[in-house]
Amino acid sequence: MEAAVLVSPAAGRGRARTVSRAVLDTLREEGVATRVLDATTRPDAERQAAEAIADGAGAVVVVGGDGAAHAGLQAVAGTAVPLAVIPAGTGNDLALALDVPADPVAAARAAAGDLLAGRVRALDAGRTAGRWWATVLCCGFDSAVTDRANRLRWPRGRRRYDFAVLAELVRLRPYEVTLSLDGVARTLPATMVAVGNTAWYGGGLRMCPGADCADGLFDVTVVGPVSRRELVRTRPRLADGTHVEHPAVTVHRASRVELSCAGLSTYADGELLAPLPVVVDCVPAAVRVAGAGPRDDQLT
């Protein structure tokens, strides 16, 4: 077994780079040969991972956060090649959803054991605008905040995101969103819409708490019109998923979601996907993952 290993050097403010030596040593000690990819950008990472698979790599191991997992996903989705996620980023929502050990060395040991034994877990994946994603796709207030933060050159770090939140709160208004769920469409005012393949996004926030990544369906959380004060008060409830009990929040289930609204973009796995309108499809069992929780599929 040879695995292509993608290390995201900036993930976790450098944590991925720091733990990568121990992760690589663990994989090799457990019997997995490694081919380290030297990509420094997301396009390079996706290209090199795909090339490694074409050259015979039997797995893709990503060391980093959800952005690194997103890059690896583009290469393995729709194939029999498994993905292993070693959590070492700022946001590790996919690893959390898959019950991957939080310690990178323990995660590497679990991944190696599964890869050598041929054990994997089947995972649904989202498909939007020609790209795969694994966790939550969102548009509305959160995507507007991320758009603004990405445009800012000051302040730096986390303060840039906090500044963007305040700026978007000032101009908070519901968006007129056309939402189609398995062909049934309606236009409604919404503060945000989240399409969940898994429960978590944003570094441990349970935006779609009932989402099951192996049932062939998305959980779609719609936050209706709310005031600035109510949005700020309700946001902490995302940590445990109790925001879905708020009267302004509704939850739906569908395998195909179509979203349309002027001036909004979609983000998934924390990465920019496409401006609206978009069609979002749930592809059952599109990905095989190693090192996760209960395994319900066997490699052949």
Side-chain angles (χ1 to χ4, degrees):
M1 164 64 69
E2 180 186 56
V5 181
L6 172 63
V7 179
S8 177
R13 297 186 178 89
R15 181 170 182 250
R17 185 194 297 275
T18 300
V19 304
S20 61
R21 175 61 62 86
V23 167
L24 290 167
D25 288 346
T26 300
L27 290 172
R28 291 163 183 159
E29 289 166 3
E30 296 293 322
V32 177
T34 60
R35 181 190 313 184
V36 180
L37 307 181
D38 61 359
T40 57
T41 66
R42 190 178 78 177
D44 280 347
E46 294 174 10
R47 175 182 55 79
Q48 290 185 26
E51 289 174 350
I53 291 173
D55 197 35
V60 174
V61 178
V62 295
V63 184
D66 292 314
H70 182 83
L73 188 68
Q74 308 312 309
V76 303
T79 78
V81 177
L83 176 72
V85 179
I86 310 300
T90 304
N92 301 299
D93 294 305
L94 181 57
L96 180 62
L98 296 176
D99 197 25
V100 172
D103 176 71
V105 170
R109 188 171 294 114
D114 279 1
L115 291 173
L116 293 171
R119 292 188 300 262
V120 294
R121 177 178 170 185
L123 172 70
D124 300 341
R127 184 76 169 161
T128 306
R131 294 193 64 80
W132 297 97
W133 55 274
T135 56
V136 177
L137 176 147
C138 66
C139 67
F141 178 78
D142 275 18
S143 64
V145 167
T146 305
D147 277 342
R148 181 179 289 272
N150 288 341
R151 293 193 302 266
L152 292 173
R153 295 294 174 264
W154 182 92
R156 299 178 64 84
R158 179 69 189 183
R159 290 182 59 201
R160 181 170 61 183
Y161 185 83
D162 293 340
F163 185 88
V165 169
L166 292 174
E168 288 301 320
L169 277 173
V170 169
R171 62 193 301 269
L172 179 69
R173 70 193 190 286
Y175 301 93
E176 286 297 312
V177 178
T178 299
L179 172 67
S180 175
L181 302 172
D182 288 335
V184 179
R186 58 177 174 150
T187 299
L188 70 165
T191 300
M192 68 175 294
V193 178
V195 182
N197 184 48
T198 62
W200 287 273
Y201 92 139
L205 302 178
R206 298 188 68 187
M207 188 67 205
C208 300
D212 180 347
C213 61
D215 65 356
L217 295 170
F218 294 126
D219 272 32
V220 183
T221 302
V222 179
V223 180
V226 292
S227 67
R228 296 182 186 90
R229 177 176 296 181
E230 195 65 14
L231 182 62
V232 171
R233 287 179 56 192
T234 304
R235 192 171 178 83
R237 296 173 63 179
L238 290 170
D240 60 8
T242 57
H243 63 287
V244 298
E245 301 168 4
H246 191 282
V249 178
T250 57
V251 178
H252 315 269
R253 307 190 80 213
S255 61
R256 168 169 279 205
V257 180
E258 298 174 57
L259 290 161
S260 180
C261 180
L264 286 180
S265 300
T266 55
Y267 286 79
D269 300 337
E271 302 291 324
L272 176 64
L273 287 191
L276 270 59
V278 294
V279 177
V280 187
D281 287 309
C282 182
V283 183
V287 186
R288 297 181 175 204
V289 291
R295 291 87 177 176
D296 57 10
D297 191 15
Q298 294 293 318
L299 283 172
T300 58

